[in-house]
Amino acid sequence: MRTLLIADDERNIRVGLKAMIEREFPDRYRIELAADGKQALAICEAEPFDIVITDIRMPEMDGIELIRALASRPSVPALLILSGYDDFQYAKEAIKHKVKEYLLKPIVREDLFAALDRIETELAQEASIHDRLEATDRYREGMQVNTLGYVWARQDIDPDEVEARCRDAGLSVFEPSYYVGILASPDFERNVLKGKEFLESGDSEGRKLAMEDKDGRLVVLTTNPERFRDMTAYLGTLPGAAGTFAAGISERGESLRELKTKYEEARHALKYRILLGRSESALIRYGQLRLRDASYRMPEDTVRKLANMLGTDRDKEMKMLLMELFDPKALAEADIAYFESVSQALNERVFDQAFRTYGEASVDIIKMHRMAGSLYNFASIQDYIHNVESLLLRLSEYARDLKSAHVDQKEMARALAYIHANFDKDLSMAVVSNHVSLNYSYFSERFKEHTGESFVNYLKKIRIQKAKELLAETDERIYEISRRVGFENPKQFNRVFREIEGITAMEYRQKQALA
């Protein structure tokens, strides 16, 4: 339904026109009335109207002043003038402001209806053209976005191909001066989408094209670099936005051949967001990065020492070495390539090597290791350093435990060998623990974990097993056998034998003789 405003200082005329139009065109218009131009303008400022019918001579503000005011607005309604005077000056002014129709009073209904039909036809045609233009613009923009996505995703694309594809997509409108910016944010829904909405709704000068890349970042191509400043200023006003976004901005591009290069400049600039403080949200311009020192080299010795210290009790020294890799001077001056090389060396020469040496660790350690795989998994370099320090300490503890377990295995093997070799002697747990140089209590605990039973029971079983062999293979007397396997007297031997085997030593020998 169209909206139509009638402005006339004579009440009978405006009410009569309203009734006349509603009878002829039921359900076509929603009609509002105004008693003069000033009231009509206020109504139009509160709500846009499709059609305005106005008298010329009215108090407060006449029809000519009204159409001048309406013609200066972004959305101009279709204007139809009513006048009791056939004055050329009025007609000239109406033509100047693109008035659709000029009708003389008294109004002939057929002329009014014909004029409204002509306006309706024009409005429908304009809407159709507008829709087609919008569809064409959407198609063109879609083709441009797809072209840029292809160009920026290809690693080895030739500048000549970049230029040809971009020119075919109509991107030459961005020459001879443009910039590429990439906005990254952990809160994609709020910051990236809000940033895109801001760019699409803004009225800043210059062309722009916004798209989302495969990593969920907003990429903007624009001829007006101030758009980036305005966008980040707007995002900074959103609740809780501080520290949640950063934008990398390329240097000025002049030719379509440079579009791939400018995208890479923006990507490189964006990497530096990790060096910003936690509460900072900022534009990072590629040109500013020349101030960073590219001569920093990854300290091989420091990384080697860290790897060697895993599994030792040198946690404090490991923390100091880590701080050497990320000292304040490097954080303030070094090129991002330095931190990338340090991160790669820690992953390959410390963490990966530890897993190859000691095997898979706990789920928590694995998660920390995966996070440490890239600097850019973290909001700040301090978060990365904290994660790496925690991972180093946890891995070192894990390695120590494995080494301790390995040492225990060797010591338990030595202890068992000593027991088997000396079971017939006056043997005690104190003697054996001393032989393998382990604390008595610790040895007792580890021995039971290793064998599944206490030292006393284990020794009894060894002695009875040897006694069974002698009972079956020799004619020695039982008291002699009891002495040979380490028992103080035959009575004790028989009690233990029956306790373990369920029968006496004599019964066992008789059973073996019949077998």
Side-chain angles (χ1 to χ4, degrees):
M1 180 177 285
R2 301 268 186 215
T3 54
L4 185 151
L5 176 64
I6 299 172
D8 198 298
D9 59 331
E10 295 186 39
R11 182 180 183 281
N12 290 339
I13 291 179
R14 61 180 183 266
V15 172
L17 284 173
K18 181 176 185 292
M20 188 189 305
I21 293 170
E22 288 178 337
R23 281 196 301 269
E24 182 67 19
F25 304 108
D27 302 324
R28 179 190 283 188
Y29 301 108
R30 179 173 63 80
I31 301 175
E32 297 289 335
L33 303 177
D36 55 51
K38 187 176 181 180
Q39 185 182 5
L41 184 60
I43 293 173
C44 287
E45 287 176 346
E47 175 190 0
F49 276 77
D50 298 314
I51 304 169
V52 173
I53 300 174
T54 180
D55 189 15
I56 291 289
R57 293 192 175 181
M58 294 182 292
E60 296 290 338
M61 176 186 285
D62 66 21
I64 296 301
E65 288 181 273
L66 175 61
I67 63 174
R68 284 175 185 159
L70 292 176
S72 66
R73 294 170 62 81
S75 179
V76 182
L79 299 168
L80 192 156
I81 284 183
L82 305 178
S83 177
Y85 304 90
D86 188 4
D87 190 313
F88 176 73
Q89 187 60 38
Y90 289 154
K92 182 179 177 182
E93 194 71 22
I95 292 169
K96 178 181 176 182
H97 293 290
K98 299 182 180 179
V99 173
K100 301 289 185 185
E101 299 284 346
Y102 189 106
L103 300 179
L104 293 175
K105 294 180 179 180
I107 301 301
V108 178
R109 70 175 60 224
E110 288 76 12
D111 292 344
L112 174 62
F113 299 157
L116 289 173
D117 278 335
R118 286 192 294 272
I119 290 173
E120 179 63 31
T121 299
E122 287 184 23
L123 290 176
Q125 289 173 345
E126 288 173 4
S128 176
I129 292 170
H130 180 266
D131 290 343
R132 289 200 297 273
L133 288 174
E134 276 198 340
T136 301
D137 289 344
R138 285 195 299 271
Y139 174 78
R140 184 186 296 110
E141 182 174 316
M143 186 168 68
Q144 292 174 343
V145 165
N146 289 337
T147 298
L148 288 175
Y150 175 83
V151 166
W152 290 338
R154 286 279 303 276
Q155 296 299 316
D156 56 349
I157 192 167
D158 183 84
D160 290 336
E161 183 183 353
V162 172
E163 181 175 27
R165 286 181 175 273
C166 291
R167 205 165 293 285
D168 288 345
L171 288 163
S172 56
V173 295
F174 287 90
E175 289 180 318
S177 179
Y178 63 84
Y179 300 81
V180 176
I182 304 176
L183 177 74
S185 168
D187 192 341
F188 175 79
E189 291 295 328
R190 178 177 61 189
N191 288 335
V192 176
L193 293 183
K194 287 289 186 182
K196 189 174 182 182
E197 289 174 7
F198 174 79
L199 289 169
E200 290 174 347
S201 63
D203 56 359
S204 304
E205 294 181 359
R207 297 181 180 276
K208 93 287 185 181
L209 187 63
M211 59 182 286
E212 296 162 26
D213 69 7
K214 60 182 178 61
D215 298 317
R217 303 176 303 189
L218 180 65
V219 185
V220 181
L221 172 64
T222 180
T223 57
N224 181 5
E226 296 304 311
R227 284 187 179 273
F228 300 117
R229 184 198 64 190
D230 296 342
M231 178 181 66
T232 52
Y234 164 73
L235 290 175
T237 65
L238 298 177
T244 62
F245 63 87
I249 313 298
S250 74
E251 293 197 285
R252 186 169 70 94
E254 298 178 355
S255 164
L256 294 179
R257 294 170 60 85
E258 300 176 278
L259 268 171
K260 172 71 171 176
T261 301
K262 297 305 163 186
Y263 174 72
E264 294 300 333
E265 287 180 0
R267 283 187 63 200
H268 186 74
L270 187 59
K271 288 180 178 181
Y272 283 81
R273 75 188 187 278
I274 193 173
L275 299 179
L276 299 175
R278 263 185 166 280
S279 61
E280 295 180 60
S281 296
L283 297 178
I284 308 167
R285 301 185 184 277
Y286 182 79
Q288 299 171 334
L289 305 181
R290 294 194 185 93
L291 301 175
R292 284 279 174 171
D293 189 348
S295 66
Y296 274 76
R297 293 292 177 267
M298 194 273 297
E300 303 277 351
D301 290 347
T302 303
V303 174
R304 186 181 66 255
K305 289 176 183 177
L306 274 174
N308 290 338
M309 287 182 183
L310 283 180
T312 68
D313 291 319
R314 298 180 178 179
D315 290 356
K316 186 175 180 180
E317 292 176 59
M318 289 173 65
K319 290 180 182 181
M320 292 176 64
L321 288 173
L322 186 62
M323 289 305 101
E324 286 181 20
L325 295 174
F326 298 98
D327 69 78
K329 191 170 185 293
L331 291 173
E333 298 177 357
D335 185 83
I336 195 68
Y338 166 76
F339 301 103
E340 290 177 331
S341 66
V342 169
S343 175
Q344 182 178 357
L346 288 172
N347 279 310
E348 294 177 356
R349 304 180 200 179
V350 181
F351 305 140
D352 291 349
Q353 180 60 42
F355 287 120
R356 284 193 293 270
T357 302
Y358 302 111
E360 291 294 329
S362 69
V363 172
D364 287 343
I365 293 179
I366 295 298
K367 286 180 179 178
M368 293 168 67
H369 178 234
R370 287 174 181 167
M371 278 294 290
S374 172
L375 284 169
Y376 307 112
N377 287 335
F378 300 88
S380 71
I381 194 72
Q382 286 74 25
D383 289 344
Y384 171 75
I385 295 169
H386 177 73
N387 183 84
V388 167
E389 180 182 298
S390 298
L391 179 55
L392 279 170
L393 298 180
R394 291 286 298 277
L395 270 177
S396 189
E397 180 184 10
Y398 174 66
R400 282 197 300 270
D401 289 344
L402 285 180
K403 285 181 179 180
S404 176
H406 181 67
V407 169
D408 284 352
Q409 290 278 34
K410 289 176 63 178
E411 297 307 324
M412 287 303 108
R414 285 181 59 211
L416 295 182
Y418 185 77
I419 292 170
H420 281 268
N422 297 279
F423 69 90
D424 57 334
K425 299 180 175 60
D426 185 13
L427 207 57
S428 68
M429 190 164 65
V431 171
V432 179
S433 64
N434 186 58
H435 175 75
V436 294
S437 303
L438 290 177
N439 174 271
Y440 180 91
S441 298
Y442 178 76
F443 177 79
S444 175
E445 182 180 336
R446 297 294 297 129
F447 187 90
K448 190 166 186 178
E449 286 180 7
H450 187 74
T451 63
E453 52 192 338
S454 69
F455 176 85
V456 172
N457 285 340
Y458 186 84
L459 180 58
K460 284 181 181 179
K461 288 183 177 180
I462 293 297
R463 286 172 169 173
I464 296 303
Q465 181 59 38
K466 186 62 178 176
K468 287 165 62 178
E469 294 174 9
L470 294 173
L471 287 167
E473 298 171 2
T474 73
D475 293 329
E476 292 184 39
R477 297 185 179 190
I478 291 177
Y479 75 88
E480 292 175 338
I481 292 175
S482 71
R483 187 182 67 252
R484 285 189 60 182
V485 296
F487 285 95
E488 294 180 359
N489 54 70
K491 186 177 180 181
Q492 182 194 25
F493 169 69
N494 276 312
R495 179 177 57 77
V496 172
F497 195 101
R498 187 166 186 169
E499 176 187 309
I500 293 175
E501 297 296 327
I503 57 178
T504 65
M506 180 61 72
E507 288 171 332
Y508 180 82
R509 170 170 274 177
Q510 291 172 348
K511 184 179 178 182
Q512 292 298 311
L514 295 174

